[in-house]
Structure formats: C-alpha cells, structure tokens
Amino acid sequence: DIQMTQSPSTLSASVGDRVTITCRASQSINSWLAWYQQKPGKAPRLLIHKASSLQSGVSPSFSGSASGTEFTLTITSLQPDDFATYYCQQYKTYPWTFGQGTKVEIK
Amino acid sequence: EVQLVESGGGLIQPGGSLRLSCAASGFLASSYHMTWLRQAPGRGLEWVSVIYSGGTTYYADFVKGRFTISRDNSKNTVYLQMNSLRAEDTAIYYCARVVTHDSGWIPFDYWGQGTLVTVSS
C-alpha cells in the first residue's frame, strides 16, 4: 500500500497567516493527489485534486503544488473559517490512502 | 442539487450484519463511480470500497470477503452490505462520488452526511 505522511500533525496559526501543510507519498503517485478540509461533525470537503487543480467553488486562497513525491497545500491568508483538519489522499493505486491529517488551530 | 444521503447505520453485535444505503439525487449515480469511506471516532479517513459505473468493484483489504458494494440503478442508490462485523468496524460511514474525465479522475467531489455504525456487545 502507498503510505501518505502528513506534517505537521497540528499547526497553530493566526488569522492572516500563510500556512503550509506537507504530504509525502511512499512511492510515485504522479499527480493523483487530493486535499480535503474537514470540520468537526461534518463530512470532508474536496479542495484540490490532481495535486494543484482547485475544485469548483473553493476559495483561491487555497493552492496545491507537487515536487516528486512531496505535495504541499498552501493557504495564503488564513481566515476564521479555515480552522479545520486537512487530509491528503492518493488515488493512483488501490487501496486509496489518506494522510493522518493536519489540525489547524487558532494560535 | 447533488445530494447523497446515507442510512442503515446503528448498533450491532460483533459478528452481525448491516446493510448501508446511499441514496443519490440531482445526478444519475449509474454514470459515476461511487465509493464508501469510513472514519472511526476521533480518527482519520479510510477508503473502504468503490463500484465503477460499469460494475467493477474494489475493496480495502480490511473488508475484503466481509463487505460487498452494489448498486440499484433503478433506485439511484448504492449499498454496502457488511457481514461478520468487528468492533474495529465502528465508524461513521460516508458515501462519495468519483467523477471520471478523459483528463483524469476527481475523487470524492460530493459526500453524504454519514451514518454511524457501532459494533459492540
């Protein structure tokens, strides 16, 4: 199985901060990577697919990038609504696998 | 409006069976790949199974041989039959849609609200 390793596990930040979350795949997944946002008690929401394609309706303050097996989710200016847990997910090979999540907390 | 509504969760004893349903509206589920995922309380997300628009299915190893995904196109509904349930299957189960394009897939663009399955004696 392809292992997805996210860092950090928890991130404390303030409104207006630039935030970066990293996800590393254990083997090549090309660009078949997605990012999700999940708030407590809610289903996840797709933010980014194919490593850097912004899902329709998602704020352009979210962006994704890739370099080999390392992927990055960036929030350019953190807003109050962005405090949540973020997951990366590979969909190159079954079983599709997720990172363990990054909780973005208010500093 | 695209909607997915799961049902069928509940409290079940170890070794028991449950069938989850995912009713789709606002789109034809038969034209999409449909998946089930789960999230144990306080834990991360796990992919469980997928059924292609053509009927091909894939499963995570931890449910293979115990869970079966199926669809009823006449009801625009996807199912997850869960047998031989274990305590570690306790989770919120979500269904989600996968969009397929020539340029690639878009995973899980719509999710249901989830249904809680608790396996306990």
Side-chain angles (χ1 to χ4, degrees):
Chain A
D1 297 2
I2 297 176
Q3 308 302 315
M4 306 301 293
T5 304
Q6 271 182 251
S7 61
S9 297
T10 307
L11 188 159
S12 296
S14 302
V15 172
D17 283 353
R18 179 185 179 91
V19 165
T20 299
I21 299 169
T22 299
C23 179
R24 181 172 284 108
S26 61
Q27 62 191 76
S28 172
I29 59 170
N30 301 115
S31 295
W32 303 119
L33 182 107
W35 289 97
Y36 302 87
Q37 177 194 65
Q38 187 178 32
K39 296 181 180 178
K42 300 292 187 182
R45 172 194 177 206
L46 176 66
L47 300 175
I48 302 280
H49 60 91
K50 209 173 179 183
S52 60
S53 296
L54 192 67
Q55 174 65 0
S56 176
V58 174
S59 167
S61 65
F62 292 93
S63 64
S65 65
S67 177
T69 59
E70 187 166 298
F71 300 85
T72 300
L73 174 70
T74 299
I75 310 171
T76 52
S77 179
L78 200 64
Q79 297 303 302
D81 192 47
D82 300 334
F83 291 96
T85 299
Y86 294 84
Y87 294 94
C88 62
Q89 177 242 336
Q90 68 82 16
Y91 53 105
K92 180 180 186 296
T93 305
Y94 293 118
W96 291 338
T97 47
F98 289 84
Q100 78 277 17
T102 296
K103 186 175 183 180
V104 177
E105 298 180 327
I106 300 173
K107 193 172 188 179
Chain B
E1 180 193 4
V2 171
Q3 273 197 314
L4 296 168
V5 178
E6 302 95 337
S7 61
L11 175 63
I12 186 75
Q13 291 190 337
S17 298
L18 274 180
R19 189 178 81 157
L20 306 183
S21 300
C22 171
S25 59
F27 72 103
L28 273 180
S30 58
S31 298
Y32 292 81
H33 301 349
M34 298 296 296
T35 67
W36 287 96
L37 305 101
R38 72 184 187 182
Q39 186 170 34
R43 305 294 296 274
L45 297 163
E46 288 186 310
W47 170 78
V48 173
S49 180
V50 63
I51 183 165
Y52 287 3
S53 53
T56 301
T57 59
Y58 292 95
Y59 298 91
D61 283 348
F62 53 78
V63 302
K64 208 171 287 184
R66 300 189 298 127
F67 291 10
T68 303
I69 191 171
S70 62
R71 64 201 311 161
D72 184 335
N73 292 335
S74 68
K75 295 183 178 178
N76 215 28
T77 298
V78 179
Y79 303 99
L80 186 68
Q81 177 66 43
M82 305 187 298
N83 299 330
S84 303
L85 283 161
R86 307 165 179 166
E88 54 265 37
D89 295 319
T90 294
I92 297 172
Y93 284 74
Y94 296 101
C95 70
R97 189 179 81 165
V98 177
V99 179
T100 57
H101 291 302
D102 289 342
S103 59
W105 293 12
I106 300 175
F108 317 150
D109 66 333
Y110 283 93
W111 297 63
Q113 84 288 352
T115 186
L116 177 63
V117 172
T118 304
V119 184
S120 175
S121 54

